[in-house]
Amino acid sequence: MIRRRVLVSGTVQGVFFRDSCRRAAADAGVVGWVRNLPDGRVEAVFEGDDGPVEQMVAWMRHGPSRAVVDGVEVVPEPLEGLLVFAITD
């Protein structure tokens, strides 16, 4: 089990990034959260088995079809034991 915090910049707000991420996370079987940041980026945390978490990190590099991802920062973190995946404020 691993945890990754991912910060994505570019045209990533107003393009259904968060909801698409929530659906992709459910399909991958990972838990965590995703939110918009005031500076225009999207931040997400993923917890789960190595493969599915890395699958979500890879998904964040392109996002949904209307997104234009310019940059991705990935930060390994200690597990918190989250139970669901949610869109947060």
Side-chain angles (χ1 to χ4, degrees):
M1 299 283 283
I2 62 172
R3 175 183 169 109
R4 298 290 182 265
R5 178 178 306 271
V6 184
L7 296 151
V8 182
S9 59
T11 305
V12 294
Q13 291 189 13
V15 295
F16 300 101
F17 204 105
R18 293 177 299 161
D19 190 56
S20 298
C21 180
R22 180 190 54 78
R23 286 184 276 135
D27 289 347
V30 302
V31 298
W33 50 263
V34 61
R35 67 180 175 183
N36 286 338
L37 295 176
D39 64 6
R41 295 181 298 167
V42 168
E43 177 182 32
V45 164
F46 304 108
E47 289 188 359
D49 291 332
D50 294 21
V53 169
E54 293 303 333
Q55 175 184 331
M56 286 307 303
V57 170
W59 183 90
M60 296 288 281
R61 295 186 189 285
H62 60 79
S65 61
R66 292 177 50 196
V68 177
V69 175
D70 293 332
V72 177
E73 179 184 351
V74 181
V75 180
E77 295 183 338
L79 285 169
E80 287 187 9
L82 300 174
L83 300 176
V84 297
F85 195 90
I87 296 173
T88 65
D89 293 331

